[in-house]
Amino acid sequence: MAGRDLRALFSSNDRGMTTAEVFTNRQAQWDLVAAALAEHLEHIAAPGFDVEDLEASRTNVLVFHGVGGIGKTTLSRKLEAALAGTGRPAQWTALSWPGAGRLRPVRIDLARAAGGDFEQLVLTIRAALADVGRPLPAFDVALRRYWEHQHPGEPLEEYLRRGGLATRFGKAMPQQVQSALGDVAQALLLPGTVGSAAGQVTGSLVRALRERRQTVRALAGCARLADLLEAEPDLETLSFYPHLLAWELAQLPAGKQVVPVILLDTFEDIGDRSHRDLERLIQRVVWLMPNCFFVVTGRSRLQWAEPALQGQLDHTGPAAWPHLAPTTHHAALPRPRAALAAGDPAGGRQILVGDFSTEDCDDYLARRLETDGTPLIPAPVRQVITERSHGLPLYLDLAVMRFLELRRTGHTPGPDDFRHDFPALIARTMADLTPDERTVLRAASLLDAFDTNLATQTAGLPYQAPARRLTERPFVRENPFALWPYHLHGLIRSTIRDADDQSDDRWTSADWHHAATRALAALGRQWAAGPDRDRLLLVGCLRQGLALAADFRLDLDWLTDAAYAYISDSVWEPLAPPAPAGHPAEQWLASPVGALVELLSTLARRQHEHRSRTADRLAVLAHAALLPDELQEMALYYLAKAQRDLGRSDASRRNMQHVADLNGRLAPAARRGLAHLARLAGNFPTAHATVSALGWPGRHHRVDGDIWWPHGDVHRAATAYAAARDEADHHGVAGERATSQTQRAFTLAFTDPTLADDEIDLAEQFLTGLDLKATTLTLNLAALLRDAGTNPAVDERAEALRTEARAAGLISAEAMLDLTLAFHHAVTDDDTKLATDLERLTALAGTGDYPYYADIAHFMAGLPLPSASTAQWLTDEATVRARWRHLVQARRDR
């Protein structure tokens, strides 16, 4: 708690309501500060430390950066209070190591609204050190000379009083400055009237220092004092005076020594990055005071460790500021132990202030407003606010004020009242952005993720500099391992997209539409220019492209070709939800792009749901006829596949024939589908006659294997599957490769279990990362078949697989399971269970599909067929019977 929240208190007449400014967590940041300070004290106490060494690297800076409203200023204030011993949060551990009592926190708000300037900064640091109780003559004499030159006739006391420094730090500083001037004048034996004029005193002091007189031996140790006193007393010279202050601090006796901890808040307000004049002066202060520690809070990282800034700032590069360098650390540079102790794996001191956790958000909202110790904001409302906040404290604060506003009107706030965006977030986010950066930010909000090139093209700018600068902002998060490395903070993105933007340069609906069109085109160019068969790029471009086209009703353009590339690999990564939350699919199917999203999502989801649901969705799509002809063909083809899986062979045959007759991109696949349907009906000659015309597009080798294994010619089938696998590998089609290898493993599992082991292992490798339900079931059946006749758990495992097959609506998988059990029971000579298998397979044959499975089961068991077979074999029935009976006998012999 940090006192009453007056804004909330004066927003309600409810006198029973208590308000509080809540400070939540930030334990990790405190731990980092504590560890860094301990390291700093150890460093300046080392025998080799020299405050006048102007060439050594500087390790006296710690930076906390983050988006506006994340709580950086609150953190800075809490750090000041904790270090001063006047208000350490209960969850923060006390500083218990030696030297902690010497710390002197000095917080300086650099915000433009605070009226801060460089003079004020220097005077604040000196005024805060007044409590050492003695003059700091080297600095004080130089300061007095500067003051008389720059502010003639204005007493320093009056300036300090007017600026609030006298109230904050007391009135001792002007007296100490005057005392220092008098002491020097006395040491130089100057008359009293002369001693009161800083210019004359400093002139005499410089001569004495140059002549190395004994009377000024106390100041002679400051090697650069004379040069600073001779320099023109302007703002540039003032920026070097902190060196004198650092030297004086080093001269203090042991009982008086202090270590200033200077907290520079709202660092983003010192000016834009094209004019770094004030930043250069402040950096000089940090460099010249190596025995002081600086904690910087602002929206952006400090760029001081970047060599490219040489010339704009005095000291740049990783050698000068090793702890501010990017995360890739140079082995020759010192590594901060403090960062590692506080859990910063990068080992640096540029720390992103993260969002609140869900628990912290709820705690903040519960404690912010209370009535008789009970949270005023009910739990359901807190939950909605927390979900929409993405952990941003500013959003929580705005939501609290909205709660009070709604309550003041007599309305009882509920969860739906907070499904709301706050335009104030836009103003806070864009406050210090250039016009071009604002354009890029709005453009980037259209994208889930982006790189500088994609953001620039979406913004319609001819140069990348604004996009590059934007990526340095804290509301842009980076994942260097992602396809596109940058993405916006979730709340910032949703607010820019959805809130009622009242800024002067807000976009019209036409502006948003043009930017979305540019984004879609840019994604298409990236995909087209990428490596052939780059699956990651394809899926990434499709996901973003589909969302853009759906949101802005854009033409499909390159999305049609990308959709065909997506289905060609049979991998089936999820692309998009089937419809906006809370809307039925019928509302989603209002445009071609909406229909395409539904189509591709249905194809991906069919790996996780019953095929009847897939067929129903595809039937709705086909009936809606919103898709262009090329994509309508895709919907019909996969509808036919789902119908075949469900045993609706007649409907499947009609749709497959229709697609084949269109002679489009999927015509070869449809002809393969017709061959499969002929085989399912037991018409092997028709299926076999089709093989030679299918070629690679029709997966001719796999169709050949599917024909020969039911004939018991398992080695010929395995050879065909191997050819199919290798051909798929040559073309880079991962799904087809895995399917062909799995079919090979299943076929060889009828023969040698040891050989089958290797084939199953290879199939498992090929299936890694793929989402193919039917193929995965086939692989499990291959493992079951491998163990047939030898493992008593086969029946139990089979029932688990039957449940999976039925849940997926895969008639083919259940039929193969019953055939596998028939093989197992024929090997074990279990007539009772074999009879059950035959009953199931005979019932299946009655549907018109897989009639030869019942025949094969009879062949395995050496039983006569109850009636003439309807299967049309490619060889005589006796040969087929002999092959299957031989496989059973061979397994028995093992």
Side-chain angles (χ1 to χ4, degrees), residues 817-859:
L817 173 62
D818 287 326
L819 190 64
T820 298
L821 287 174
F823 181 78
H824 171 63
H825 296 141
V827 171
T828 58
D829 206 17
D830 190 331
D831 293 340
T832 302
K833 291 183 178 178
L834 181 61
T836 302
D837 301 332
L838 289 171
E839 182 180 347
R840 285 175 173 157
L841 291 171
T842 301
L844 177 64
T847 67
D849 286 337
Y850 303 101
Y852 52 91
Y853 273 20
D855 295 353
I856 293 172
H858 283 85
F859 298 161

mmCIF file of all heavy atoms in Angstrom, residues 817-859:
data_model
loop_
_atom_site.group_PDB
_atom_site.id
_atom_site.type_symbol
_atom_site.label_atom_id
_atom_site.label_comp_id
_atom_site.label_asym_id
_atom_site.label_seq_id
_atom_site.Cartn_x
_atom_site.Cartn_y
_atom_site.Cartn_z
ATOM 1 N N LEU A 817 -8.511 -53.363 -38.175
ATOM 2 C CA LEU A 817 -8.358 -53.903 -36.827
ATOM 3 C C LEU A 817 -8.965 -55.302 -36.739
ATOM 4 O O LEU A 817 -8.352 -56.225 -36.178
ATOM 5 C CB LEU A 817 -9.027 -52.962 -35.824
ATOM 6 C CG LEU A 817 -9.115 -53.455 -34.377
ATOM 7 C CD1 LEU A 817 -7.724 -53.682 -33.786
ATOM 8 C CD2 LEU A 817 -9.889 -52.464 -33.513
ATOM 9 N N ASP A 818 -10.176 -55.486 -37.283
ATOM 10 C CA ASP A 818 -10.807 -56.807 -37.231
ATOM 11 C C ASP A 818 -10.007 -57.836 -38.032
ATOM 12 O O ASP A 818 -9.913 -59.009 -37.636
ATOM 13 C CB ASP A 818 -12.242 -56.721 -37.759
ATOM 14 C CG ASP A 818 -13.179 -56.030 -36.768
ATOM 15 O OD1 ASP A 818 -12.967 -56.194 -35.558
ATOM 16 O OD2 ASP A 818 -14.094 -55.303 -37.215
ATOM 17 N N LEU A 819 -9.410 -57.403 -39.135
ATOM 18 C CA LEU A 819 -8.582 -58.318 -39.907
ATOM 19 C C LEU A 819 -7.322 -58.695 -39.129
ATOM 20 O O LEU A 819 -6.880 -59.852 -39.151
ATOM 21 C CB LEU A 819 -8.210 -57.670 -41.242
ATOM 22 C CG LEU A 819 -7.536 -58.595 -42.247
ATOM 23 C CD1 LEU A 819 -8.484 -59.714 -42.685
ATOM 24 C CD2 LEU A 819 -7.059 -57.806 -43.469
ATOM 25 N N THR A 820 -6.752 -57.710 -38.421
ATOM 26 C CA THR A 820 -5.574 -57.984 -37.592
ATOM 27 C C THR A 820 -5.916 -58.979 -36.487
ATOM 28 O O THR A 820 -5.151 -59.926 -36.210
ATOM 29 C CB THR A 820 -5.064 -56.663 -36.975
ATOM 30 O OG1 THR A 820 -4.676 -55.780 -38.021
ATOM 31 C CG2 THR A 820 -3.888 -56.899 -36.053
ATOM 32 N N LEU A 821 -7.079 -58.803 -35.853
ATOM 33 C CA LEU A 821 -7.492 -59.744 -34.806
ATOM 34 C C LEU A 821 -7.741 -61.125 -35.394
ATOM 35 O O LEU A 821 -7.422 -62.154 -34.749
ATOM 36 C CB LEU A 821 -8.750 -59.226 -34.116
ATOM 37 C CG LEU A 821 -8.541 -58.037 -33.174
ATOM 38 C CD1 LEU A 821 -9.880 -57.525 -32.660
ATOM 39 C CD2 LEU A 821 -7.653 -58.433 -31.989
ATOM 40 N N ALA A 822 -8.292 -61.191 -36.592
ATOM 41 C CA ALA A 822 -8.519 -62.492 -37.228
ATOM 42 C C ALA A 822 -7.189 -63.206 -37.449
ATOM 43 O O ALA A 822 -7.076 -64.429 -37.254
ATOM 44 C CB ALA A 822 -9.255 -62.294 -38.543
ATOM 45 N N PHE A 823 -6.162 -62.463 -37.843
ATOM 46 C CA PHE A 823 -4.831 -63.051 -38.008
ATOM 47 C C PHE A 823 -4.309 -63.573 -36.675
ATOM 48 O O PHE A 823 -3.797 -64.695 -36.572
ATOM 49 C CB PHE A 823 -3.883 -61.998 -38.594
ATOM 50 C CG PHE A 823 -2.493 -62.485 -38.838
ATOM 51 C CD1 PHE A 823 -2.193 -63.274 -39.944
ATOM 52 C CD2 PHE A 823 -1.449 -62.170 -37.971
ATOM 53 C CE1 PHE A 823 -0.895 -63.736 -40.177
ATOM 54 C CE2 PHE A 823 -0.157 -62.612 -38.187
ATOM 55 C CZ PHE A 823 0.112 -63.395 -39.299
ATOM 56 N N HIS A 824 -4.435 -62.749 -35.634
ATOM 57 C CA HIS A 824 -3.963 -63.130 -34.302
ATOM 58 C C HIS A 824 -4.690 -64.380 -33.808
ATOM 59 O O HIS A 824 -4.057 -65.341 -33.316
ATOM 60 C CB HIS A 824 -4.197 -61.967 -33.331
ATOM 61 C CG HIS A 824 -3.962 -62.300 -31.892
ATOM 62 N ND1 HIS A 824 -2.741 -62.670 -31.387
ATOM 63 C CD2 HIS A 824 -4.829 -62.328 -30.824
ATOM 64 C CE1 HIS A 824 -2.840 -62.897 -30.085
ATOM 65 N NE2 HIS A 824 -4.104 -62.688 -29.717
ATOM 66 N N HIS A 825 -5.998 -64.406 -33.961
ATOM 67 C CA HIS A 825 -6.766 -65.545 -33.456
ATOM 68 C C HIS A 825 -6.581 -66.789 -34.315
ATOM 69 O O HIS A 825 -6.690 -67.919 -33.823
ATOM 70 C CB HIS A 825 -8.250 -65.167 -33.367
ATOM 71 C CG HIS A 825 -8.502 -64.068 -32.374
ATOM 72 N ND1 HIS A 825 -9.414 -63.053 -32.585
ATOM 73 C CD2 HIS A 825 -7.929 -63.807 -31.162
ATOM 74 C CE1 HIS A 825 -9.400 -62.221 -31.543
ATOM 75 N NE2 HIS A 825 -8.507 -62.668 -30.669
ATOM 76 N N ALA A 826 -6.269 -66.594 -35.598
ATOM 77 C CA ALA A 826 -5.943 -67.751 -36.434
ATOM 78 C C ALA A 826 -4.605 -68.345 -36.022
ATOM 79 O O ALA A 826 -4.446 -69.578 -35.984
ATOM 80 C CB ALA A 826 -5.912 -67.337 -37.902
ATOM 81 N N VAL A 827 -3.644 -67.482 -35.693
ATOM 82 C CA VAL A 827 -2.334 -67.976 -35.242
ATOM 83 C C VAL A 827 -2.479 -68.705 -33.913
ATOM 84 O O VAL A 827 -1.885 -69.776 -33.696
ATOM 85 C CB VAL A 827 -1.338 -66.802 -35.121
ATOM 86 C CG1 VAL A 827 -0.049 -67.276 -34.449
ATOM 87 C CG2 VAL A 827 -1.039 -66.216 -36.491
ATOM 88 N N THR A 828 -3.268 -68.147 -32.990
ATOM 89 C CA THR A 828 -3.427 -68.767 -31.661
ATOM 90 C C THR A 828 -4.473 -69.872 -31.663
ATOM 91 O O THR A 828 -4.699 -70.511 -30.634
ATOM 92 C CB THR A 828 -3.817 -67.695 -30.625
ATOM 93 O OG1 THR A 828 -5.032 -67.060 -31.044
ATOM 94 C CG2 THR A 828 -2.711 -66.655 -30.477
ATOM 95 N N ASP A 829 -5.142 -70.040 -32.816
ATOM 96 C CA ASP A 829 -6.157 -71.100 -32.976
ATOM 97 C C ASP A 829 -7.289 -70.944 -31.956
ATOM 98 O O ASP A 829 -7.779 -71.926 -31.394
ATOM 99 C CB ASP A 829 -5.487 -72.486 -32.822
ATOM 100 C CG ASP A 829 -6.274 -73.570 -33.569
ATOM 101 O OD1 ASP A 829 -7.104 -73.205 -34.425
ATOM 102 O OD2 ASP A 829 -6.050 -74.760 -33.280
ATOM 103 N N ASP A 830 -7.702 -69.681 -31.763
ATOM 104 C CA ASP A 830 -8.789 -69.379 -30.825
ATOM 105 C C ASP A 830 -10.089 -69.288 -31.637
ATOM 106 O O ASP A 830 -10.451 -68.226 -32.151
ATOM 107 C CB ASP A 830 -8.505 -68.050 -30.113
ATOM 108 C CG ASP A 830 -9.467 -67.778 -28.958
ATOM 109 O OD1 ASP A 830 -10.619 -68.245 -29.023
ATOM 110 O OD2 ASP A 830 -9.057 -67.065 -28.013
ATOM 111 N N ASP A 831 -10.780 -70.439 -31.758
ATOM 112 C CA ASP A 831 -11.950 -70.509 -32.627
ATOM 113 C C ASP A 831 -13.074 -69.579 -32.175
ATOM 114 O O ASP A 831 -13.789 -69.007 -33.005
ATOM 115 C CB ASP A 831 -12.473 -71.952 -32.678
ATOM 116 C CG ASP A 831 -11.495 -72.878 -33.383
ATOM 117 O OD1 ASP A 831 -10.647 -72.354 -34.132
ATOM 118 O OD2 ASP A 831 -11.557 -74.102 -33.173
ATOM 119 N N THR A 832 -13.241 -69.433 -30.866
ATOM 120 C CA THR A 832 -14.346 -68.617 -30.347
ATOM 121 C C THR A 832 -14.176 -67.158 -30.769
ATOM 122 O O THR A 832 -15.106 -66.528 -31.311
ATOM 123 C CB THR A 832 -14.417 -68.719 -28.815
ATOM 124 O OG1 THR A 832 -14.588 -70.088 -28.445
ATOM 125 C CG2 THR A 832 -15.569 -67.886 -28.284
ATOM 126 N N LYS A 833 -13.006 -66.617 -30.518
ATOM 127 C CA LYS A 833 -12.774 -65.213 -30.870
ATOM 128 C C LYS A 833 -12.686 -65.026 -32.376
ATOM 129 O O LYS A 833 -13.096 -63.986 -32.907
ATOM 130 C CB LYS A 833 -11.494 -64.716 -30.189
ATOM 131 C CG LYS A 833 -11.632 -64.608 -28.674
ATOM 132 C CD LYS A 833 -10.381 -64.057 -28.022
ATOM 133 C CE LYS A 833 -10.586 -63.923 -26.499
ATOM 134 N NZ LYS A 833 -9.371 -63.426 -25.820
ATOM 135 N N LEU A 834 -12.178 -66.034 -33.059
ATOM 136 C CA LEU A 834 -12.131 -65.946 -34.515
ATOM 137 C C LEU A 834 -13.540 -65.861 -35.097
ATOM 138 O O LEU A 834 -13.787 -65.127 -36.071
ATOM 139 C CB LEU A 834 -11.386 -67.154 -35.087
ATOM 140 C CG LEU A 834 -11.247 -67.191 -36.619
ATOM 141 C CD1 LEU A 834 -10.468 -65.988 -37.111
ATOM 142 C CD2 LEU A 834 -10.558 -68.487 -37.053
ATOM 143 N N ALA A 835 -14.472 -66.583 -34.485
ATOM 144 C CA ALA A 835 -15.858 -66.539 -34.950
ATOM 145 C C ALA A 835 -16.427 -65.134 -34.818
ATOM 146 O O ALA A 835 -17.180 -64.660 -35.698
ATOM 147 C CB ALA A 835 -16.704 -67.532 -34.157
ATOM 148 N N THR A 836 -16.073 -64.462 -33.745
ATOM 149 C CA THR A 836 -16.528 -63.075 -33.566
ATOM 150 C C THR A 836 -15.940 -62.175 -34.641
ATOM 151 O O THR A 836 -16.631 -61.312 -35.205
ATOM 152 C CB THR A 836 -16.119 -62.556 -32.170
ATOM 153 O OG1 THR A 836 -16.685 -63.407 -31.161
ATOM 154 C CG2 THR A 836 -16.600 -61.137 -31.955
ATOM 155 N N ASP A 837 -14.658 -62.364 -34.950
ATOM 156 C CA ASP A 837 -14.007 -61.565 -35.998
ATOM 157 C C ASP A 837 -14.710 -61.783 -37.340
ATOM 158 O O ASP A 837 -14.977 -60.827 -38.076
ATOM 159 C CB ASP A 837 -12.534 -61.959 -36.132
ATOM 160 C CG ASP A 837 -11.763 -61.772 -34.827
ATOM 161 O OD1 ASP A 837 -12.149 -60.895 -34.026
ATOM 162 O OD2 ASP A 837 -10.788 -62.515 -34.609
ATOM 163 N N LEU A 838 -15.002 -63.062 -37.649
ATOM 164 C CA LEU A 838 -15.648 -63.374 -38.923
ATOM 165 C C LEU A 838 -17.044 -62.764 -38.992
ATOM 166 O O LEU A 838 -17.475 -62.291 -40.052
ATOM 167 C CB LEU A 838 -15.723 -64.893 -39.101
ATOM 168 C CG LEU A 838 -14.380 -65.592 -39.369
ATOM 169 C CD1 LEU A 838 -14.553 -67.111 -39.306
ATOM 170 C CD2 LEU A 838 -13.838 -65.186 -40.740
ATOM 171 N N GLU A 839 -17.721 -62.766 -37.867
ATOM 172 C CA GLU A 839 -19.067 -62.184 -37.838
ATOM 173 C C GLU A 839 -19.015 -60.690 -38.148
ATOM 174 O O GLU A 839 -19.825 -60.179 -38.924
ATOM 175 C CB GLU A 839 -19.670 -62.424 -36.456
ATOM 176 C CG GLU A 839 -21.098 -61.908 -36.316
ATOM 177 C CD GLU A 839 -21.660 -62.172 -34.922
ATOM 178 O OE1 GLU A 839 -21.058 -62.957 -34.173
ATOM 179 O OE2 GLU A 839 -22.689 -61.560 -34.591
ATOM 180 N N ARG A 840 -18.056 -59.986 -37.569
ATOM 181 C CA ARG A 840 -17.928 -58.552 -37.815
ATOM 182 C C ARG A 840 -17.558 -58.271 -39.273
ATOM 183 O O ARG A 840 -18.112 -57.368 -39.911
ATOM 184 C CB ARG A 840 -16.854 -57.952 -36.893
ATOM 185 C CG ARG A 840 -17.300 -57.798 -35.444
ATOM 186 C CD ARG A 840 -16.144 -57.320 -34.599
ATOM 187 N NE ARG A 840 -16.575 -57.001 -33.226
ATOM 188 C CZ ARG A 840 -15.759 -56.987 -32.178
ATOM 189 N NH1 ARG A 840 -14.475 -57.282 -32.347
ATOM 190 N NH2 ARG A 840 -16.209 -56.697 -30.978
ATOM 191 N N LEU A 841 -16.601 -59.023 -39.793
ATOM 192 C CA LEU A 841 -16.162 -58.797 -41.161
ATOM 193 C C LEU A 841 -17.243 -59.162 -42.173
ATOM 194 O O LEU A 841 -17.374 -58.501 -43.214
ATOM 195 C CB LEU A 841 -14.881 -59.590 -41.437
ATOM 196 C CG LEU A 841 -13.641 -59.076 -40.674
ATOM 197 C CD1 LEU A 841 -12.475 -60.044 -40.818
ATOM 198 C CD2 LEU A 841 -13.240 -57.687 -41.177
ATOM 199 N N THR A 842 -18.030 -60.158 -41.859
ATOM 200 C CA THR A 842 -19.134 -60.525 -42.749
ATOM 201 C C THR A 842 -20.193 -59.440 -42.754
ATOM 202 O O THR A 842 -20.763 -59.097 -43.807
ATOM 203 C CB THR A 842 -19.753 -61.862 -42.309
ATOM 204 O OG1 THR A 842 -18.736 -62.883 -42.330
ATOM 205 C CG2 THR A 842 -20.885 -62.272 -43.227
ATOM 206 N N ALA A 843 -20.463 -58.855 -41.586
ATOM 207 C CA ALA A 843 -21.423 -57.756 -41.510
ATOM 208 C C ALA A 843 -20.925 -56.562 -42.314
ATOM 209 O O ALA A 843 -21.698 -55.877 -42.995
ATOM 210 C CB ALA A 843 -21.656 -57.374 -40.051
ATOM 211 N N LEU A 844 -19.618 -56.307 -42.246
ATOM 212 C CA LEU A 844 -19.044 -55.205 -43.012
ATOM 213 C C LEU A 844 -19.200 -55.458 -44.514
ATOM 214 O O LEU A 844 -19.545 -54.549 -45.279
ATOM 215 C CB LEU A 844 -17.565 -55.032 -42.660
ATOM 216 C CG LEU A 844 -16.789 -53.961 -43.445
ATOM 217 C CD1 LEU A 844 -17.357 -52.573 -43.160
ATOM 218 C CD2 LEU A 844 -15.303 -54.007 -43.081
ATOM 219 N N ALA A 845 -18.987 -56.687 -44.928
ATOM 220 C CA ALA A 845 -19.118 -57.033 -46.351
ATOM 221 C C ALA A 845 -20.540 -56.786 -46.838
ATOM 222 O O ALA A 845 -20.758 -56.465 -48.013
ATOM 223 C CB ALA A 845 -18.718 -58.482 -46.574
ATOM 224 N N GLY A 846 -21.512 -56.917 -45.934
ATOM 225 C CA GLY A 846 -22.903 -56.699 -46.313
ATOM 226 C C GLY A 846 -23.189 -55.270 -46.702
ATOM 227 O O GLY A 846 -24.194 -54.986 -47.365
ATOM 228 N N THR A 847 -22.293 -54.322 -46.315
ATOM 229 C CA THR A 847 -22.483 -52.914 -46.696
ATOM 230 C C THR A 847 -21.991 -52.651 -48.105
ATOM 231 O O THR A 847 -22.232 -51.571 -48.653
ATOM 232 C CB THR A 847 -21.729 -51.980 -45.725
ATOM 233 O OG1 THR A 847 -20.307 -52.190 -45.888
ATOM 234 C CG2 THR A 847 -22.122 -52.250 -44.283
ATOM 235 N N GLY A 848 -21.316 -53.631 -48.686
ATOM 236 C CA GLY A 848 -20.762 -53.458 -50.028
ATOM 237 C C GLY A 848 -19.300 -53.095 -50.032
ATOM 238 O O GLY A 848 -18.652 -53.105 -51.082
ATOM 239 N N ASP A 849 -18.739 -52.752 -48.864
ATOM 240 C CA ASP A 849 -17.327 -52.394 -48.765
ATOM 241 C C ASP A 849 -16.544 -53.527 -48.094
ATOM 242 O O ASP A 849 -17.065 -54.228 -47.205
ATOM 243 C CB ASP A 849 -17.151 -51.116 -47.946
ATOM 244 C CG ASP A 849 -17.588 -49.876 -48.722
ATOM 245 O OD1 ASP A 849 -17.594 -49.941 -49.967
ATOM 246 O OD2 ASP A 849 -17.930 -48.863 -48.077
ATOM 247 N N TYR A 850 -15.294 -53.653 -48.512
ATOM 248 C CA TYR A 850 -14.365 -54.629 -47.930
ATOM 249 C C TYR A 850 -14.923 -56.063 -47.908
ATOM 250 O O TYR A 850 -14.740 -56.776 -46.929
ATOM 251 C CB TYR A 850 -13.976 -54.226 -46.503
ATOM 252 C CG TYR A 850 -13.371 -52.848 -46.401
ATOM 253 C CD1 TYR A 850 -14.141 -51.770 -45.960
ATOM 254 C CD2 TYR A 850 -12.041 -52.619 -46.735
ATOM 255 C CE1 TYR A 850 -13.589 -50.496 -45.867
ATOM 256 C CE2 TYR A 850 -11.486 -51.348 -46.641
ATOM 257 C CZ TYR A 850 -12.265 -50.283 -46.211
ATOM 258 O OH TYR A 850 -11.722 -49.037 -46.122
ATOM 259 N N PRO A 851 -15.586 -56.534 -48.943
ATOM 260 C CA PRO A 851 -16.088 -57.910 -48.891
ATOM 261 C C PRO A 851 -14.945 -58.922 -48.828
ATOM 262 O O PRO A 851 -15.111 -60.033 -48.281
ATOM 263 C CB PRO A 851 -16.881 -58.045 -50.201
ATOM 264 C CG PRO A 851 -16.270 -57.031 -51.119
ATOM 265 C CD PRO A 851 -15.898 -55.893 -50.234
ATOM 266 N N TYR A 852 -13.805 -58.567 -49.359
ATOM 267 C CA TYR A 852 -12.669 -59.495 -49.392
ATOM 268 C C TYR A 852 -12.007 -59.655 -48.026
ATOM 269 O O TYR A 852 -11.243 -60.586 -47.808
ATOM 270 C CB TYR A 852 -11.644 -59.044 -50.440
ATOM 271 C CG TYR A 852 -11.207 -57.596 -50.293
ATOM 272 C CD1 TYR A 852 -10.108 -57.246 -49.532
ATOM 273 C CD2 TYR A 852 -11.912 -56.579 -50.937
ATOM 274 C CE1 TYR A 852 -9.710 -55.935 -49.401
ATOM 275 C CE2 TYR A 852 -11.527 -55.252 -50.816
ATOM 276 C CZ TYR A 852 -10.422 -54.940 -50.042
ATOM 277 O OH TYR A 852 -10.030 -53.637 -49.919
ATOM 278 N N TYR A 853 -12.273 -58.755 -47.061
ATOM 279 C CA TYR A 853 -11.699 -58.918 -45.727
ATOM 280 C C TYR A 853 -12.234 -60.207 -45.077
ATOM 281 O O TYR A 853 -11.492 -60.954 -44.434
ATOM 282 C CB TYR A 853 -12.024 -57.706 -44.847
ATOM 283 C CG TYR A 853 -11.036 -56.559 -44.967
ATOM 284 C CD1 TYR A 853 -10.198 -56.434 -46.064
ATOM 285 C CD2 TYR A 853 -10.944 -55.592 -43.970
ATOM 286 C CE1 TYR A 853 -9.306 -55.378 -46.171
ATOM 287 C CE2 TYR A 853 -10.058 -54.535 -44.058
ATOM 288 C CZ TYR A 853 -9.234 -54.427 -45.171
ATOM 289 O OH TYR A 853 -8.357 -53.390 -45.263
ATOM 290 N N ALA A 854 -13.549 -60.452 -45.235
ATOM 291 C CA ALA A 854 -14.113 -61.696 -44.690
ATOM 292 C C ALA A 854 -13.508 -62.907 -45.397
ATOM 293 O O ALA A 854 -13.228 -63.943 -44.764
ATOM 294 C CB ALA A 854 -15.632 -61.693 -44.840
ATOM 295 N N ASP A 855 -13.275 -62.787 -46.711
ATOM 296 C CA ASP A 855 -12.629 -63.876 -47.449
ATOM 297 C C ASP A 855 -11.244 -64.145 -46.898
ATOM 298 O O ASP A 855 -10.865 -65.304 -46.641
ATOM 299 C CB ASP A 855 -12.515 -63.516 -48.936
ATOM 300 C CG ASP A 855 -13.879 -63.380 -49.608
ATOM 301 O OD1 ASP A 855 -14.893 -63.696 -48.964
ATOM 302 O OD2 ASP A 855 -13.910 -62.952 -50.768
ATOM 303 N N ILE A 856 -10.463 -63.059 -46.692
ATOM 304 C CA ILE A 856 -9.085 -63.218 -46.199
ATOM 305 C C ILE A 856 -9.084 -63.877 -44.827
ATOM 306 O O ILE A 856 -8.246 -64.753 -44.534
ATOM 307 C CB ILE A 856 -8.377 -61.848 -46.157
ATOM 308 C CG1 ILE A 856 -8.176 -61.308 -47.575
ATOM 309 C CG2 ILE A 856 -7.040 -61.949 -45.437
ATOM 310 C CD1 ILE A 856 -7.657 -59.870 -47.619
ATOM 311 N N ALA A 857 -10.021 -63.488 -43.949
ATOM 312 C CA ALA A 857 -10.087 -64.092 -42.614
ATOM 313 C C ALA A 857 -10.350 -65.598 -42.725
ATOM 314 O O ALA A 857 -9.766 -66.397 -41.963
ATOM 315 C CB ALA A 857 -11.163 -63.408 -41.786
ATOM 316 N N HIS A 858 -11.220 -66.000 -43.633
ATOM 317 C CA HIS A 858 -11.454 -67.430 -43.834
ATOM 318 C C HIS A 858 -10.203 -68.112 -44.370
ATOM 319 O O HIS A 858 -9.854 -69.222 -43.952
ATOM 320 C CB HIS A 858 -12.627 -67.648 -44.808
ATOM 321 C CG HIS A 858 -13.982 -67.426 -44.188
ATOM 322 N ND1 HIS A 858 -14.559 -66.185 -44.093
ATOM 323 C CD2 HIS A 858 -14.866 -68.312 -43.633
ATOM 324 C CE1 HIS A 858 -15.744 -66.283 -43.506
ATOM 325 N NE2 HIS A 858 -15.959 -67.586 -43.214
ATOM 326 N N PHE A 859 -9.502 -67.449 -45.287
ATOM 327 C CA PHE A 859 -8.277 -68.026 -45.835
ATOM 328 C C PHE A 859 -7.248 -68.237 -44.734
ATOM 329 O O PHE A 859 -6.574 -69.270 -44.675
ATOM 330 C CB PHE A 859 -7.689 -67.110 -46.915
ATOM 331 C CG PHE A 859 -8.567 -66.888 -48.114
ATOM 332 C CD1 PHE A 859 -8.351 -65.800 -48.969
ATOM 333 C CD2 PHE A 859 -9.611 -67.755 -48.425
ATOM 334 C CE1 PHE A 859 -9.145 -65.584 -50.077
ATOM 335 C CE2 PHE A 859 -10.425 -67.531 -49.540
ATOM 336 C CZ PHE A 859 -10.183 -66.451 -50.359
#
